Amino acid sequence: MKASHILVADLSTAQMIKQKLTEGNNFDSLARKFSTCPSNAHGGDLGEFGPGMMVKPFEDATVALNVGQVSDPVQTQRSEEHTSELQSHLNLVCRLL
C-alpha cells in the first residue's frame, strides 16, 4: 500500500480540509499548508508500507479506500519524541496505491 495523509490536531480543522477537498482543492497543496507531520514537505506522502507498519486505525482506513479516495477523519495516537505522553491526532488519508 501507499498513502498520503494530512495530520491535524482537531476535528474542526480536519472537517474544513475535507470540505476543501470536496470542493476540488489539491490534496498535496493542502497537506503542505495544514499538516503538522514532517511529511507535509512531500505533500503528506508516506511512501509504501505493508501490513502492521502503521497504527491499526490508519492501516484500516487505508485498506478500506479505493486508490485516489480520501477518508473521513481518522483518529490516531502517537508518543511525541521529547515526552512519553500520547498525543491524539486526526488524519485525512488518501490511498495512492
Side-chain angles (χ1 to χ4, degrees), residues 5-80:
H5 77 143
I6 300 173
L7 185 71
V8 296
D10 60 84
L11 184 58
S12 62
T13 303
Q15 291 171 330
M16 177 268 300
I17 294 167
K18 179 74 174 187
Q19 180 60 38
K20 287 183 176 293
L21 290 165
T22 301
E23 294 168 357
N25 284 268
N26 180 274
F27 191 97
D28 181 275
S29 298
L30 292 173
R32 289 175 189 275
K33 183 173 183 178
F34 292 106
S35 184
T36 60
C37 180
S39 68
N40 63 6
H42 306 286
D45 189 346
L46 297 172
E48 292 188 39
F49 54 91
M53 294 178 69
M54 296 291 183
V55 294
K56 185 157 178 47
F58 188 95
E59 182 177 324
D60 290 348
T62 305
V63 168
L65 295 171
N66 293 317
V67 173
Q69 188 178 11
V70 178
S71 72
D72 288 329
V74 176
Q75 186 166 4
T76 58
Q77 291 185 333
R78 69 175 188 171
S79 59
E80 299 298 321

